[in-house]
Every structure is written in structure tokens, then in C-alpha cells.
Amino acid sequence: MTKATEKSFDFNDLDLETICDQPFEFELVHPESKEGLGVFISVVGSDSATFQKYLREEQNRARRKAFEAGRKGKDDAPTPVEEDEQTLVRAVAACMTGWRTVRDGESKDVIYWGGKGIEFTPDNAVKWMQKFKWVRPQINEQTGDLGNFIKD
């Protein structure tokens, strides 16, 4: 048996669905030099209620598709690679809650793409990540790092 301690553990302190639903902001870095770009992305964690809801919806969609194919006497056809890539991009975007750019000491709730300030929307996030694939691993890494969300 272990000796009783003065401190007792409360599992609510590690309610990851709730804790990871609090956005964490990080700065994107250049893929080669690793220098900060002045572009900040806010994300929830992969254990968040927000992301878990997205995953359930996607799984339910896939199950419905397979069920409907079975009802029609057809095999569930394999998905094209492009559709798999879209699913991955939408999953990463589901963890994003916003972005901003610091330029000339001023913070604006946009990213710049082709000289235009683009406001955050889930659709804009998907389009942006389709074009700039190198940002996906950085965003994905931050969403999976519990240290970004669990504070001592």
C-alpha cells in the first residue's frame, strides 16, 4: 500500500475535453529557417469537445454512406485520395478558432494572401491549408500537444 498524501487528486483537473476547448495561440514559423512569421493561429486541442464532436460527425457520415451503399446492394467504393486529403484538411481546420497577423507593430485578425487580408472562417482555413500544405503539420502538432492546454 502507498502512504496517504496530504494532497488528493481531483479528476476534474484533467477533464481534457473541457481543458482542451480553451484556445491556445502559437506563431507559425518558416518551414526552413524556423523564424516566426508574425502570423498567429489559435487552436483547440485534439482532445477537446469541439474536435471530438467533429470526429463523431465525420464517422457518422462515413457510416451512413456505407449503410446507404449496402441498402442499394453496392459495395462501399474506396474514397479517392483527394477526398481523403480533404478529410484531413477539414479535421485540422476543425481545431482552428482564429488567426491574426502582426504587421508594423499592429495586430489584425486576418492573414495576408496575395496581398489581401483574409478573415478567419472554417472555409477560408480549408482553402488556405489546401494551398499551403506546410502549415498543416505545425497546426496539427500544436493541437496534439497537451502541454499547450494543461496549465499547472
Side-chain angles (χ1 to χ4, degrees), residues 4-71:
T5 63
E6 292 180 27
K7 181 179 179 183
S8 65
F9 179 75
D10 185 335
F11 275 88
N12 205 45
D13 294 341
L14 288 177
D15 175 3
L16 297 181
E17 279 196 352
T18 300
I19 292 168
C20 290
D21 248 345
Q22 301 305 308
F24 171 77
E25 183 181 72
F26 70 97
E27 184 176 12
L28 282 177
V29 297
H30 187 282
E32 179 60 30
S33 71
K34 307 301 181 207
E35 288 184 46
L37 299 175
V39 175
F40 296 85
I41 308 295
S42 294
V43 295
V44 296
S46 57
D47 288 326
S48 69
T50 300
F51 186 64
Q52 294 304 310
K53 179 180 183 261
Y54 167 81
L55 284 180
R56 288 181 193 104
E57 288 170 354
E58 280 298 304
Q59 290 170 341
N60 286 332
R61 183 190 63 75
R63 286 180 179 188
R64 277 191 302 277
K65 181 180 173 187
F67 175 75
E68 290 300 324
R71 280 182 49 186

Side-chain angles (χ1 to χ4, degrees), residues 128-142:
W128 175 65
M129 285 189 290
Q130 286 172 323
K131 177 67 176 169
F132 303 100
K133 294 176 176 72
W134 61 268
V135 302
R136 290 185 222 160
Q138 291 185 47
I139 298 166
N140 198 37
E141 181 180 337
Q142 297 299 323

Side-chain angles (χ1 to χ4, degrees), residues 65-119:
K65 181 180 173 187
F67 175 75
E68 290 300 324
R71 280 182 49 186
K72 294 176 183 174
K74 300 178 182 176
D75 289 333
D76 190 18
T79 57
V81 172
E82 294 83 1
E83 188 175 326
D84 290 342
E85 183 178 355
Q86 276 295 101
T87 299
L88 172 66
V89 171
R90 284 192 314 271
V92 176
C95 288
M96 294 175 64
T97 62
W99 55 36
R100 68 184 179 92
T101 301
V102 175
R103 185 185 257 184
D104 300 325
E106 186 179 336
S107 178
K108 293 189 177 181
D109 290 337
V110 297
I111 59 169
Y112 292 93
W113 180 0
K116 295 180 182 176
I118 309 296
E119 292 184 2

